[in-house]
Amino acid sequence: LEGLPLGGYLAVACLLAGGVLLLPALAAVLAHLLPRGGPVSARLAAARLSAAPGHAVVAAAGVLTSVALAVAMAIMVASFRDSVDQWLGQILPADLYVRAGRASGSGHLDEALQARIAALPGVGRVDFIRHDTLRLIAGQPPVALIARPVAADGSDLPLVARAGAAGTLPRIWISEALQDLRGWQPGQQVDLPLAGRRVSVAVAGVWRDYARQTGAVMMDLADYRRLTGDRLANDGAVHLAPGARADDVADALASLAGPGALEIARPGEIRAISLRIFDRSFAVTYLLEAVAVVIGLAGVAASFAALAAARRREFGMLRHLGLTRRQIGAMLAREGALAAGVGVLGGMLVGGAIGLVLIEVVNRQSFHWSMDLHVPWLSLLLFGTGLVALAAVAAVLAGRQAMGQSAVLAVREDW
């Protein structure tokens, strides 16, 4: 609605609320599965979870919320980064990339310079690329036009959909953003404004593009030149001949047209720069995840501090029965771990569901990007285990005062 994925946001809120409401049932199931043997502290902690799962829910609710949000963001960012990495590998298949530099004046590679680049020793093939813009609708942002050599079936593009049998019309491949914004579908015939006239073309497929949110049209370079007569190029993807060294060819390219006339880059450098920008852009999400975890731990500490203060007589009775402070501390640690475990388990499940909503709904509707699901299992396992351990420590620290000598004296109040 109005460009906002309100349904996705509502789904996230409902998943969080539903996860919190289902915590008592999850705690009861976990308590039923716990072994009944082991040390006294372990048996007491398991018995308390079975008898009063609501107490664990109070502490676990904050943990579930923080874990769910952190897990959802981790899954979304990992999926996005992995998809961008794969996408870069698909759109950067050449060994070297050359572009008209600022010192070239026109910013284009003319036919003569293209021929000289292709004729350099060590160059096997050069795929030249022409960039332009198309204004499909007056008053709307222009759409990027990319003309480059494309396989007949578009198999060298990161396709997400393709048309059936090809017709006689020139073919184009549109980005997901353009499909969403214009509603074009594979196999559909559309008109493009090329060289001052409307040209009928067929949509041969939809490809994944993380660079242009306003949409992009990909066309085979031969078709573009035939339709427009434009022989210029902006970039060139250089494929090396067998046995050629990238450094030697790069040096020859740099000296071909004078200082600064050409900019040369390797695909590894472009990928590294792109991923570094990506990581810098999403660095704030890691900070938000850390804040969410701290809030969850603070909830565990506050809940156990309040419960421990109310259980001073219980601790005193346990001391009279022969338990040491160490054993009571171990019992509190297990109770904190169990409460956090319930929250972490529920948070992982809810966070996975929210992550799917972020990937399939929120990002798709907000940015017109699709991505493949990638779950960082090891990172999430370490995260969950570490959070349970920290919750156990927080529970012990919160109950230290209630385990002191005053707990023993508090039993007198019942005599």
Side-chain angles (χ1 to χ4, degrees):
L1 299 175
E2 300 297 330
L4 294 175
L6 298 183
Y9 296 153
L10 180 61
V12 171
C14 289
L15 285 169
L16 285 174
V20 173
L21 291 175
L22 287 175
L23 271 179
L26 182 61
V29 171
L30 182 61
H32 180 72
L33 296 176
L34 289 175
R36 299 305 173 184
V40 173
S41 58
R43 284 181 283 166
L44 286 173
R48 182 170 182 81
L49 182 61
S50 299
H55 291 171
V57 169
V58 173
V63 175
L64 181 143
T65 303
S66 60
V67 168
L69 295 177
V71 168
M73 290 302 298
I75 292 176
M76 190 273 290
V77 173
S79 300
F80 197 8
R81 194 183 192 281
D82 184 70
S83 298
V84 169
D85 194 14
Q86 294 183 20
W87 174 74
L88 288 170
Q90 288 180 285
I91 65 170
L92 299 173
D95 301 293
L96 291 171
Y97 287 86
V98 59
R99 141 179 316 180
R102 297 180 180 178
S104 63
S106 65
H108 299 123
L109 307 174
D110 58 29
E111 284 191 278
L113 184 54
Q114 294 175 42
R116 290 161 60 193
I117 292 173
L120 280 176
V123 174
R125 184 181 91 250
V126 183
D127 295 331
F128 290 103
I129 306 169
R130 182 72 168 104
H131 296 280
D132 202 351
T133 58
L134 301 175
R135 191 168 294 278
L136 301 180
I137 302 178
Q140 296 291 329
V143 172
L145 172 64
I146 306 169
R148 49 161 277 191
V150 182
D153 58 354
S155 56
D156 50 352
L157 297 176
L159 293 179
V160 295
R162 68 178 70 200
T168 58
L169 292 175
R171 288 165 301 196
I172 63 170
W173 291 263
I174 61 174
S175 67
E176 292 175 306
L178 189 59
Q179 182 186 33
D180 289 349
L181 295 173
R182 299 289 297 150
W184 293 350
Q185 299 297 327
Q188 182 178 348
Q189 177 180 330
V190 298
D191 292 336
L192 291 183
L194 290 175
R197 59 190 180 94
R198 310 294 295 187
V199 178
S200 295
V201 295
V203 178
V206 181
W207 60 290
R208 184 173 289 173
D209 181 26
Y210 293 125
R212 290 157 284 262
Q213 291 187 29
T214 57
V217 174
M218 184 81 71
M219 174 180 286
D220 185 71
L221 183 63
D223 289 338
Y224 172 80
R225 288 180 169 176
R226 176 174 54 82
L227 294 172
T228 64
D230 181 7
R231 313 293 295 183
L232 298 175
N234 302 93
D235 307 319
V238 179
H239 299 263
L240 301 181
R245 295 178 65 251
D247 291 339
D248 295 338
V249 176
D251 293 339
L253 286 169
S255 61
L256 185 63
L262 295 177
E263 296 178 359
I264 299 124
R266 292 169 173 79
E269 297 172 351
I270 300 174
R271 174 183 289 186
I273 292 173
S274 301
L275 293 179
R276 188 161 56 247
I277 294 173
F278 179 94
D279 292 334
R280 191 181 302 124
S281 301
F282 282 91
V284 67
T285 62
Y286 304 123
L287 174 62
L288 295 177
E289 291 175 16
V291 171
V293 170
V294 170
I295 292 174
L297 289 176
V300 171
S303 299
F304 271 84
L307 291 174
R311 296 168 64 189
R312 286 173 61 249
R313 295 179 185 178
E314 175 189 337
F315 296 156
M317 181 59 69
L318 291 175
R319 292 289 302 277
H320 278 292
L321 291 174
L323 269 70
T324 64
R325 288 190 63 186
R326 182 182 297 275
Q327 288 176 308
I328 296 177
M331 179 189 71
L332 281 177
R334 285 180 166 87
E335 289 180 6
L338 287 174
V342 172
V344 168
L345 180 59
M348 291 284 184
L349 297 174
V350 174
I354 293 176
L356 286 175
V357 173
L358 293 178
I359 292 172
E360 301 294 342
V361 179
V362 175
N363 277 282
R364 191 70 175 86
Q365 294 181 7
S366 298
F367 307 106
H368 311 291
W369 291 333
S370 68
M371 59 188 80
D372 299 321
L373 178 64
H374 177 73
V375 181
W377 295 109
L378 180 59
S379 299
L380 294 182
L381 177 62
L382 294 176
F383 167 70
T385 304
L387 189 55
V388 170
L390 290 174
V393 174
V396 174
L397 294 178
R400 284 187 65 182
Q401 185 175 1
M403 293 186 298
Q405 184 66 21
S406 60
V408 179
L409 299 177
V411 181
R412 291 182 179 178
E413 300 173 7
D414 291 335
W415 293 354

